Amino acid sequence: FPSHDNSDFVDSYVKLLKKYKANPTDTSILSEYTEAAQKAAEMQTDASSCSDPKYAAKLMELANKIAKAAM
């Protein structure tokens, strides 16, 4: 089942995206952002290869939240 840290991760990732958008030249944000983006990508991969529909749906929901924040 989706672990609580996935939701926490998404919340912190969304905050990070906002910080990054506000200050795209801040290199300290950039490395954090790159790591977070990799984790987000892994989450999407997990969702597409997941056999548990509830878990996959939750991961996709989180991935969509990230995608909206990234716009």
Side-chain angles (χ1 to χ4, degrees):
F1 289 150
S3 58
H4 185 62
D5 67 316
N6 274 341
S7 306
D8 290 348
F9 164 70
V10 170
D11 291 341
S12 63
Y13 186 64
V14 167
K15 280 181 200 148
L16 189 62
L17 271 171
K18 288 177 181 166
K19 257 189 354 189
Y20 176 70
K21 280 188 196 168
N23 192 1
T25 55
D26 185 336
T27 52
S28 67
I29 295 172
L30 199 59
S31 63
E32 214 180 322
Y33 174 76
T34 305
E35 273 177 43
Q38 283 175 331
K39 185 169 178 181
E42 283 169 25
M43 238 169 52
Q44 283 174 305
T45 304
D46 288 350
S48 61
S49 64
C50 183
S51 57
D52 179 339
K54 279 184 188 167
Y55 183 61
K58 180 66 178 169
L59 285 175
M60 284 312 293
E61 186 187 307
L62 294 172
N64 288 338
K65 191 174 173 184
I66 287 172
K68 281 183 190 150
M71 289 174 165

